[in-house]
Amino acid sequence: MLISAGIIPEAKFKAIAMWSLWFGASMMTTSSLYSFFSKPKMILDAFKKPFAKKEGKAKDLLEDIELPMWIFAVGIPVVGAVTVWMGHAWFGLEWWLGLIAIPLVFVFTLIAVTSTGLTAITPGGALGKLTQITYSVLAPGNVPTNLMTAGITSEVSLNASNLLMDIKPGYMLGGKPRHQAIGHVLGIFAGGLVAVPAFYLIFGGDISKFTSDALPLPGASIWKGVAEVLGADRVLHFARFPESPIPDRIQ
């Protein structure tokens, strides 16, 4: 109907997506948030379990097969600092905005793994949208910051939940959680050394075609659409002052 009316100029993916994403992204965000907050007990349980008091002083039977806690105490601040630096160096994230992402990652990962354990469903999309909404307030109109911080939160929570789901089949094959965690860490370096060069080899380092008709990337378009929808300060400006020239980026 929009194409027939001439509102959408041509029946191509990008032209259709630029219109449908404004409505679709809003509906997806609302749906994700509703499904997320409709289970408050799951969210509360995520914070209660790590701090629950253990009865008795019996030896922890999992002590020798799980990673020791000192690895997390050292690893989270070290890896978090590296992540913040990479975000600043490569994507222009402000230092303070990157630092805020680390505690958000910790909180959202607790919620994600609790949801995975209880329902076998990881709310990665909903958690990513929560991050995008948070940064739409902290850095309004800043699409790169909105996308990168949401990417960090979503990836960490999804990978943590994937590791949780690997534990049972790992046990069946004779592997310990410690072995599986080490395997995931090795995968970080394998992915960085293989996937990144392969990516640049295939696309020639040219990302200008991303979300175009040549490489539509529907998943990326949705995240980008949410980021632009949440940049409401600019959208409201053109709604209030329609005579203002609309930048090519928004067109």
Side-chain angles (χ1 to χ4, degrees), residues 11-43:
K12 290 187 177 181
F13 177 85
K14 186 176 181 179
I16 296 172
M18 286 303 294
W19 278 92
S20 61
L21 275 175
W22 289 89
F23 308 103
S26 300
M27 290 189 289
M28 288 181 62
T29 302
T30 304
S31 173
S32 296
L33 293 176
Y34 177 81
S35 63
F36 182 78
F37 287 112
S38 65
K39 301 173 183 176
K41 184 177 182 301
M42 180 191 70
I43 300 174

PDB file of all heavy atoms in Angstrom, residues 11-43:
ATOM      1  N   ALA A  11      10.291  -0.587  -4.909  1.00  0.00           N
ATOM      2  CA  ALA A  11      10.153  -1.874  -4.225  1.00  0.00           C
ATOM      3  C   ALA A  11      11.519  -2.543  -4.079  1.00  0.00           C
ATOM      4  O   ALA A  11      11.773  -3.617  -4.625  1.00  0.00           O
ATOM      5  CB  ALA A  11       9.184  -2.771  -4.986  1.00  0.00           C
ATOM      6  N   LYS A  12      12.406  -1.905  -3.332  1.00  0.00           N
ATOM      7  CA  LYS A  12      13.721  -2.477  -3.022  1.00  0.00           C
ATOM      8  C   LYS A  12      13.846  -2.636  -1.512  1.00  0.00           C
ATOM      9  O   LYS A  12      13.196  -1.913  -0.755  1.00  0.00           O
ATOM     10  CB  LYS A  12      14.849  -1.593  -3.559  1.00  0.00           C
ATOM     11  CG  LYS A  12      14.959  -1.603  -5.076  1.00  0.00           C
ATOM     12  CD  LYS A  12      16.186  -0.843  -5.542  1.00  0.00           C
ATOM     13  CE  LYS A  12      16.350  -0.910  -7.043  1.00  0.00           C
ATOM     14  NZ  LYS A  12      17.552  -0.190  -7.509  1.00  0.00           N
ATOM     15  N   PHE A  13      14.715  -3.573  -1.108  1.00  0.00           N
ATOM     16  CA  PHE A  13      14.814  -3.909   0.318  1.00  0.00           C
ATOM     17  C   PHE A  13      15.107  -2.685   1.168  1.00  0.00           C
ATOM     18  O   PHE A  13      14.447  -2.448   2.179  1.00  0.00           O
ATOM     19  CB  PHE A  13      15.911  -4.958   0.532  1.00  0.00           C
ATOM     20  CG  PHE A  13      16.111  -5.303   1.978  1.00  0.00           C
ATOM     21  CD1 PHE A  13      15.331  -6.269   2.596  1.00  0.00           C
ATOM     22  CD2 PHE A  13      17.069  -4.647   2.748  1.00  0.00           C
ATOM     23  CE1 PHE A  13      15.493  -6.572   3.938  1.00  0.00           C
ATOM     24  CE2 PHE A  13      17.243  -4.936   4.079  1.00  0.00           C
ATOM     25  CZ  PHE A  13      16.450  -5.917   4.674  1.00  0.00           C
ATOM     26  N   LYS A  14      16.106  -1.890   0.782  1.00  0.00           N
ATOM     27  CA  LYS A  14      16.516  -0.769   1.632  1.00  0.00           C
ATOM     28  C   LYS A  14      15.393   0.250   1.766  1.00  0.00           C
ATOM     29  O   LYS A  14      15.132   0.767   2.853  1.00  0.00           O
ATOM     30  CB  LYS A  14      17.765  -0.118   1.067  1.00  0.00           C
ATOM     31  CG  LYS A  14      18.329   0.973   1.970  1.00  0.00           C
ATOM     32  CD  LYS A  14      19.638   1.533   1.433  1.00  0.00           C
ATOM     33  CE  LYS A  14      20.183   2.599   2.380  1.00  0.00           C
ATOM     34  NZ  LYS A  14      21.465   3.152   1.889  1.00  0.00           N
ATOM     35  N   ALA A  15      14.701   0.550   0.653  1.00  0.00           N
ATOM     36  CA  ALA A  15      13.625   1.537   0.703  1.00  0.00           C
ATOM     37  C   ALA A  15      12.487   1.061   1.589  1.00  0.00           C
ATOM     38  O   ALA A  15      11.916   1.829   2.375  1.00  0.00           O
ATOM     39  CB  ALA A  15      13.117   1.815  -0.714  1.00  0.00           C
ATOM     40  N   ILE A  16      12.151  -0.227   1.473  1.00  0.00           N
ATOM     41  CA  ILE A  16      11.078  -0.789   2.315  1.00  0.00           C
ATOM     42  C   ILE A  16      11.513  -0.830   3.775  1.00  0.00           C
ATOM     43  O   ILE A  16      10.756  -0.474   4.685  1.00  0.00           O
ATOM     44  CB  ILE A  16      10.699  -2.193   1.821  1.00  0.00           C
ATOM     45  CG1 ILE A  16      10.120  -2.116   0.409  1.00  0.00           C
ATOM     46  CG2 ILE A  16       9.698  -2.842   2.774  1.00  0.00           C
ATOM     47  CD1 ILE A  16       9.900  -3.464  -0.227  1.00  0.00           C
ATOM     48  N   ALA A  17      12.769  -1.271   4.013  1.00  0.00           N
ATOM     49  CA  ALA A  17      13.263  -1.413   5.381  1.00  0.00           C
ATOM     50  C   ALA A  17      13.317  -0.084   6.112  1.00  0.00           C
ATOM     51  O   ALA A  17      13.034  -0.003   7.308  1.00  0.00           O
ATOM     52  CB  ALA A  17      14.653  -2.056   5.373  1.00  0.00           C
ATOM     53  N   MET A  18      13.677   0.992   5.398  1.00  0.00           N
ATOM     54  CA  MET A  18      13.784   2.291   6.049  1.00  0.00           C
ATOM     55  C   MET A  18      12.441   2.728   6.634  1.00  0.00           C
ATOM     56  O   MET A  18      12.389   3.451   7.621  1.00  0.00           O
ATOM     57  CB  MET A  18      14.283   3.336   5.052  1.00  0.00           C
ATOM     58  CG  MET A  18      15.766   3.207   4.709  1.00  0.00           C
ATOM     59  SD  MET A  18      16.828   3.299   6.168  1.00  0.00           S
ATOM     60  CE  MET A  18      16.542   4.981   6.686  1.00  0.00           C
ATOM     61  N   TRP A  19      11.342   2.289   6.030  1.00  0.00           N
ATOM     62  CA  TRP A  19      10.021   2.617   6.577  1.00  0.00           C
ATOM     63  C   TRP A  19       9.562   1.577   7.582  1.00  0.00           C
ATOM     64  O   TRP A  19       9.108   1.917   8.674  1.00  0.00           O
ATOM     65  CB  TRP A  19       9.002   2.754   5.437  1.00  0.00           C
ATOM     66  CG  TRP A  19       9.052   4.089   4.785  1.00  0.00           C
ATOM     67  CD1 TRP A  19       9.795   4.440   3.690  1.00  0.00           C
ATOM     68  CD2 TRP A  19       8.370   5.269   5.199  1.00  0.00           C
ATOM     69  NE1 TRP A  19       9.601   5.769   3.396  1.00  0.00           N
ATOM     70  CE2 TRP A  19       8.739   6.305   4.302  1.00  0.00           C
ATOM     71  CE3 TRP A  19       7.484   5.560   6.234  1.00  0.00           C
ATOM     72  CZ2 TRP A  19       8.239   7.599   4.425  1.00  0.00           C
ATOM     73  CZ3 TRP A  19       6.997   6.855   6.357  1.00  0.00           C
ATOM     74  CH2 TRP A  19       7.366   7.862   5.457  1.00  0.00           C
ATOM     75  N   SER A  20       9.667   0.301   7.220  1.00  0.00           N
ATOM     76  CA  SER A  20       9.124  -0.750   8.093  1.00  0.00           C
ATOM     77  C   SER A  20       9.886  -0.856   9.406  1.00  0.00           C
ATOM     78  O   SER A  20       9.312  -1.240  10.434  1.00  0.00           O
ATOM     79  CB  SER A  20       9.151  -2.095   7.366  1.00  0.00           C
ATOM     80  OG  SER A  20      10.463  -2.470   7.033  1.00  0.00           O
ATOM     81  N   LEU A  21      11.182  -0.506   9.400  1.00  0.00           N
ATOM     82  CA  LEU A  21      11.974  -0.616  10.624  1.00  0.00           C
ATOM     83  C   LEU A  21      11.486   0.338  11.714  1.00  0.00           C
ATOM     84  O   LEU A  21      11.551   0.024  12.896  1.00  0.00           O
ATOM     85  CB  LEU A  21      13.456  -0.351  10.330  1.00  0.00           C
ATOM     86  CG  LEU A  21      14.268  -1.541   9.838  1.00  0.00           C
ATOM     87  CD1 LEU A  21      15.679  -1.120   9.473  1.00  0.00           C
ATOM     88  CD2 LEU A  21      14.314  -2.641  10.890  1.00  0.00           C
ATOM     89  N   TRP A  22      10.985   1.493  11.327  1.00  0.00           N
ATOM     90  CA  TRP A  22      10.520   2.440  12.338  1.00  0.00           C
ATOM     91  C   TRP A  22       9.375   1.847  13.148  1.00  0.00           C
ATOM     92  O   TRP A  22       9.273   2.038  14.353  1.00  0.00           O
ATOM     93  CB  TRP A  22      10.075   3.752  11.677  1.00  0.00           C
ATOM     94  CG  TRP A  22      11.212   4.540  11.149  1.00  0.00           C
ATOM     95  CD1 TRP A  22      11.760   4.446   9.902  1.00  0.00           C
ATOM     96  CD2 TRP A  22      11.968   5.520  11.843  1.00  0.00           C
ATOM     97  NE1 TRP A  22      12.817   5.316   9.793  1.00  0.00           N
ATOM     98  CE2 TRP A  22      12.967   5.995  10.953  1.00  0.00           C
ATOM     99  CE3 TRP A  22      11.923   6.052  13.134  1.00  0.00           C
ATOM    100  CZ2 TRP A  22      13.889   6.971  11.317  1.00  0.00           C
ATOM    101  CZ3 TRP A  22      12.833   7.028  13.491  1.00  0.00           C
ATOM    102  CH2 TRP A  22      13.799   7.466  12.588  1.00  0.00           C
ATOM    103  N   PHE A  23       8.484   1.112  12.468  1.00  0.00           N
ATOM    104  CA  PHE A  23       7.364   0.496  13.174  1.00  0.00           C
ATOM    105  C   PHE A  23       7.786  -0.841  13.770  1.00  0.00           C
ATOM    106  O   PHE A  23       7.481  -1.147  14.922  1.00  0.00           O
ATOM    107  CB  PHE A  23       6.191   0.289  12.206  1.00  0.00           C
ATOM    108  CG  PHE A  23       5.810   1.526  11.453  1.00  0.00           C
ATOM    109  CD1 PHE A  23       6.175   1.697  10.130  1.00  0.00           C
ATOM    110  CD2 PHE A  23       5.096   2.532  12.079  1.00  0.00           C
ATOM    111  CE1 PHE A  23       5.828   2.845   9.427  1.00  0.00           C
ATOM    112  CE2 PHE A  23       4.741   3.695  11.388  1.00  0.00           C
ATOM    113  CZ  PHE A  23       5.111   3.843  10.059  1.00  0.00           C
ATOM    114  N   GLY A  24       8.505  -1.636  12.980  1.00  0.00           N
ATOM    115  CA  GLY A  24       8.903  -2.971  13.438  1.00  0.00           C
ATOM    116  C   GLY A  24       9.832  -2.926  14.633  1.00  0.00           C
ATOM    117  O   GLY A  24       9.680  -3.697  15.590  1.00  0.00           O
ATOM    118  N   ALA A  25      10.818  -2.022  14.600  1.00  0.00           N
ATOM    119  CA  ALA A  25      11.763  -1.921  15.715  1.00  0.00           C
ATOM    120  C   ALA A  25      11.057  -1.482  16.992  1.00  0.00           C
ATOM    121  O   ALA A  25      11.357  -1.969  18.089  1.00  0.00           O
ATOM    122  CB  ALA A  25      12.881  -0.937  15.373  1.00  0.00           C
ATOM    123  N   SER A  26      10.095  -0.584  16.865  1.00  0.00           N
ATOM    124  CA  SER A  26       9.346  -0.134  18.042  1.00  0.00           C
ATOM    125  C   SER A  26       8.543  -1.279  18.636  1.00  0.00           C
ATOM    126  O   SER A  26       8.501  -1.468  19.854  1.00  0.00           O
ATOM    127  CB  SER A  26       8.410   1.012  17.654  1.00  0.00           C
ATOM    128  OG  SER A  26       9.145   2.100  17.135  1.00  0.00           O
ATOM    129  N   MET A  27       7.903  -2.078  17.766  1.00  0.00           N
ATOM    130  CA  MET A  27       7.116  -3.218  18.252  1.00  0.00           C
ATOM    131  C   MET A  27       8.013  -4.280  18.878  1.00  0.00           C
ATOM    132  O   MET A  27       7.681  -4.869  19.915  1.00  0.00           O
ATOM    133  CB  MET A  27       6.299  -3.812  17.107  1.00  0.00           C
ATOM    134  CG  MET A  27       5.158  -2.918  16.648  1.00  0.00           C
ATOM    135  SD  MET A  27       4.045  -3.717  15.467  1.00  0.00           S
ATOM    136  CE  MET A  27       5.086  -3.801  14.021  1.00  0.00           C
ATOM    137  N   MET A  28       9.179  -4.546  18.257  1.00  0.00           N
ATOM    138  CA  MET A  28      10.099  -5.545  18.792  1.00  0.00           C
ATOM    139  C   MET A  28      10.636  -5.123  20.150  1.00  0.00           C
ATOM    140  O   MET A  28      10.759  -5.932  21.067  1.00  0.00           O
ATOM    141  CB  MET A  28      11.256  -5.776  17.820  1.00  0.00           C
ATOM    142  CG  MET A  28      10.870  -6.528  16.564  1.00  0.00           C
ATOM    143  SD  MET A  28      12.288  -6.776  15.489  1.00  0.00           S
ATOM    144  CE  MET A  28      13.326  -7.766  16.554  1.00  0.00           C
ATOM    145  N   THR A  29      10.974  -3.848  20.282  1.00  0.00           N
ATOM    146  CA  THR A  29      11.493  -3.353  21.555  1.00  0.00           C
ATOM    147  C   THR A  29      10.437  -3.466  22.649  1.00  0.00           C
ATOM    148  O   THR A  29      10.708  -3.933  23.755  1.00  0.00           O
ATOM    149  CB  THR A  29      11.945  -1.889  21.421  1.00  0.00           C
ATOM    150  OG1 THR A  29      12.942  -1.798  20.394  1.00  0.00           O
ATOM    151  CG2 THR A  29      12.525  -1.373  22.725  1.00  0.00           C
ATOM    152  N   THR A  30       9.214  -3.044  22.337  1.00  0.00           N
ATOM    153  CA  THR A  30       8.129  -3.137  23.311  1.00  0.00           C
ATOM    154  C   THR A  30       7.867  -4.580  23.705  1.00  0.00           C
ATOM    155  O   THR A  30       7.697  -4.912  24.888  1.00  0.00           O
ATOM    156  CB  THR A  30       6.847  -2.515  22.732  1.00  0.00           C
ATOM    157  OG1 THR A  30       7.117  -1.175  22.328  1.00  0.00           O
ATOM    158  CG2 THR A  30       5.730  -2.513  23.771  1.00  0.00           C
ATOM    159  N   SER A  31       7.854  -5.469  22.710  1.00  0.00           N
ATOM    160  CA  SER A  31       7.614  -6.891  22.985  1.00  0.00           C
ATOM    161  C   SER A  31       8.719  -7.485  23.856  1.00  0.00           C
ATOM    162  O   SER A  31       8.452  -8.233  24.799  1.00  0.00           O
ATOM    163  CB  SER A  31       7.521  -7.662  21.663  1.00  0.00           C
ATOM    164  OG  SER A  31       7.457  -9.045  21.886  1.00  0.00           O
ATOM    165  N   SER A  32       9.970  -7.139  23.527  1.00  0.00           N
ATOM    166  CA  SER A  32      11.098  -7.658  24.299  1.00  0.00           C
ATOM    167  C   SER A  32      11.034  -7.198  25.747  1.00  0.00           C
ATOM    168  O   SER A  32      11.244  -7.977  26.680  1.00  0.00           O
ATOM    169  CB  SER A  32      12.420  -7.211  23.662  1.00  0.00           C
ATOM    170  OG  SER A  32      12.570  -7.748  22.370  1.00  0.00           O
ATOM    171  N   LEU A  33      10.743  -5.919  25.954  1.00  0.00           N
ATOM    172  CA  LEU A  33      10.691  -5.374  27.310  1.00  0.00           C
ATOM    173  C   LEU A  33       9.528  -5.981  28.090  1.00  0.00           C
ATOM    174  O   LEU A  33       9.650  -6.275  29.281  1.00  0.00           O
ATOM    175  CB  LEU A  33      10.561  -3.853  27.262  1.00  0.00           C
ATOM    176  CG  LEU A  33      11.774  -3.107  26.704  1.00  0.00           C
ATOM    177  CD1 LEU A  33      11.472  -1.612  26.617  1.00  0.00           C
ATOM    178  CD2 LEU A  33      13.000  -3.350  27.555  1.00  0.00           C
ATOM    179  N   TYR A  34       8.394  -6.179  27.422  1.00  0.00           N
ATOM    180  CA  TYR A  34       7.239  -6.775  28.103  1.00  0.00           C
ATOM    181  C   TYR A  34       7.556  -8.197  28.563  1.00  0.00           C
ATOM    182  O   TYR A  34       7.290  -8.566  29.713  1.00  0.00           O
ATOM    183  CB  TYR A  34       6.019  -6.781  27.183  1.00  0.00           C
ATOM    184  CG  TYR A  34       4.812  -7.448  27.817  1.00  0.00           C
ATOM    185  CD1 TYR A  34       4.009  -6.736  28.716  1.00  0.00           C
ATOM    186  CD2 TYR A  34       4.498  -8.765  27.535  1.00  0.00           C
ATOM    187  CE1 TYR A  34       2.917  -7.345  29.313  1.00  0.00           C
ATOM    188  CE2 TYR A  34       3.409  -9.383  28.129  1.00  0.00           C
ATOM    189  CZ  TYR A  34       2.617  -8.663  29.015  1.00  0.00           C
ATOM    190  OH  TYR A  34       1.566  -9.277  29.606  1.00  0.00           O
ATOM    191  N   SER A  35       8.137  -9.009  27.656  1.00  0.00           N
ATOM    192  CA  SER A  35       8.461 -10.392  28.017  1.00  0.00           C
ATOM    193  C   SER A  35       9.528 -10.440  29.106  1.00  0.00           C
ATOM    194  O   SER A  35       9.547 -11.347  29.934  1.00  0.00           O
ATOM    195  CB  SER A  35       8.948 -11.157  26.778  1.00  0.00           C
ATOM    196  OG  SER A  35      10.145 -10.604  26.279  1.00  0.00           O
ATOM    197  N   PHE A  36      10.410  -9.430  29.124  1.00  0.00           N
ATOM    198  CA  PHE A  36      11.485  -9.385  30.109  1.00  0.00           C
ATOM    199  C   PHE A  36      10.954  -9.049  31.498  1.00  0.00           C
ATOM    200  O   PHE A  36      11.217  -9.748  32.473  1.00  0.00           O
ATOM    201  CB  PHE A  36      12.522  -8.358  29.673  1.00  0.00           C
ATOM    202  CG  PHE A  36      13.703  -8.247  30.592  1.00  0.00           C
ATOM    203  CD1 PHE A  36      14.708  -9.188  30.558  1.00  0.00           C
ATOM    204  CD2 PHE A  36      13.802  -7.203  31.490  1.00  0.00           C
ATOM    205  CE1 PHE A  36      15.800  -9.094  31.403  1.00  0.00           C
ATOM    206  CE2 PHE A  36      14.890  -7.100  32.339  1.00  0.00           C
ATOM    207  CZ  PHE A  36      15.892  -8.049  32.293  1.00  0.00           C
ATOM    208  N   PHE A  37      10.155  -8.009  31.596  1.00  0.00           N
ATOM    209  CA  PHE A  37       9.685  -7.552  32.901  1.00  0.00           C
ATOM    210  C   PHE A  37       8.442  -8.302  33.376  1.00  0.00           C
ATOM    211  O   PHE A  37       7.985  -8.092  34.501  1.00  0.00           O
ATOM    212  CB  PHE A  37       9.389  -6.052  32.854  1.00  0.00           C
ATOM    213  CG  PHE A  37      10.630  -5.206  32.810  1.00  0.00           C
ATOM    214  CD1 PHE A  37      10.948  -4.485  31.677  1.00  0.00           C
ATOM    215  CD2 PHE A  37      11.495  -5.158  33.893  1.00  0.00           C
ATOM    216  CE1 PHE A  37      12.097  -3.718  31.625  1.00  0.00           C
ATOM    217  CE2 PHE A  37      12.647  -4.394  33.850  1.00  0.00           C
ATOM    218  CZ  PHE A  37      12.944  -3.662  32.716  1.00  0.00           C
ATOM    219  N   SER A  38       7.879  -9.180  32.542  1.00  0.00           N
ATOM    220  CA  SER A  38       6.712  -9.945  32.965  1.00  0.00           C
ATOM    221  C   SER A  38       7.091 -11.089  33.895  1.00  0.00           C
ATOM    222  O   SER A  38       6.206 -11.770  34.428  1.00  0.00           O
ATOM    223  CB  SER A  38       5.970 -10.499  31.738  1.00  0.00           C
ATOM    224  OG  SER A  38       6.784 -11.432  31.049  1.00  0.00           O
ATOM    225  N   LYS A  39       8.397 -11.302  34.093  1.00  0.00           N
ATOM    226  CA  LYS A  39       8.864 -12.373  34.980  1.00  0.00           C
ATOM    227  C   LYS A  39       9.785 -11.788  36.058  1.00  0.00           C
ATOM    228  O   LYS A  39      10.988 -12.008  36.064  1.00  0.00           O
ATOM    229  CB  LYS A  39       9.614 -13.430  34.184  1.00  0.00           C
ATOM    230  CG  LYS A  39       8.760 -14.069  33.081  1.00  0.00           C
ATOM    231  CD  LYS A  39       9.579 -14.991  32.206  1.00  0.00           C
ATOM    232  CE  LYS A  39       8.732 -15.562  31.081  1.00  0.00           C
ATOM    233  NZ  LYS A  39       9.530 -16.403  30.161  1.00  0.00           N
ATOM    234  N   PRO A  40       9.222 -10.989  36.965  1.00  0.00           N
ATOM    235  CA  PRO A  40      10.065 -10.331  37.979  1.00  0.00           C
ATOM    236  C   PRO A  40      10.787 -11.315  38.894  1.00  0.00           C
ATOM    237  O   PRO A  40      11.883 -11.031  39.355  1.00  0.00           O
ATOM    238  CB  PRO A  40       9.078  -9.450  38.754  1.00  0.00           C
ATOM    239  CG  PRO A  40       7.735 -10.080  38.505  1.00  0.00           C
ATOM    240  CD  PRO A  40       7.809 -10.641  37.125  1.00  0.00           C
ATOM    241  N   LYS A  41      10.176 -12.476  39.156  1.00  0.00           N
ATOM    242  CA  LYS A  41      10.810 -13.455  40.038  1.00  0.00           C
ATOM    243  C   LYS A  41      12.132 -13.931  39.460  1.00  0.00           C
ATOM    244  O   LYS A  41      13.110 -14.126  40.191  1.00  0.00           O
ATOM    245  CB  LYS A  41       9.882 -14.648  40.263  1.00  0.00           C
ATOM    246  CG  LYS A  41      10.419 -15.679  41.254  1.00  0.00           C
ATOM    247  CD  LYS A  41       9.421 -16.791  41.485  1.00  0.00           C
ATOM    248  CE  LYS A  41       9.957 -17.788  42.521  1.00  0.00           C
ATOM    249  NZ  LYS A  41      11.228 -18.409  42.118  1.00  0.00           N
ATOM    250  N   MET A  42      12.179 -14.120  38.144  1.00  0.00           N
ATOM    251  CA  MET A  42      13.407 -14.558  37.491  1.00  0.00           C
ATOM    252  C   MET A  42      14.513 -13.521  37.681  1.00  0.00           C
ATOM    253  O   MET A  42      15.666 -13.850  37.940  1.00  0.00           O
ATOM    254  CB  MET A  42      13.156 -14.777  36.002  1.00  0.00           C
ATOM    255  CG  MET A  42      14.368 -15.234  35.212  1.00  0.00           C
ATOM    256  SD  MET A  42      14.048 -15.167  33.437  1.00  0.00           S
ATOM    257  CE  MET A  42      13.995 -13.381  33.169  1.00  0.00           C
ATOM    258  N   ILE A  43      14.157 -12.237  37.595  1.00  0.00           N
ATOM    259  CA  ILE A  43      15.148 -11.172  37.757  1.00  0.00           C
ATOM    260  C   ILE A  43      15.647 -11.135  39.196  1.00  0.00           C
ATOM    261  O   ILE A  43      16.853 -11.006  39.448  1.00  0.00           O
ATOM    262  CB  ILE A  43      14.530  -9.817  37.358  1.00  0.00           C
ATOM    263  CG1 ILE A  43      14.075  -9.862  35.897  1.00  0.00           C
ATOM    264  CG2 ILE A  43      15.539  -8.688  37.563  1.00  0.00           C
ATOM    265  CD1 ILE A  43      13.323  -8.627  35.458  1.00  0.00           C
TER     266      ILE A  43
END
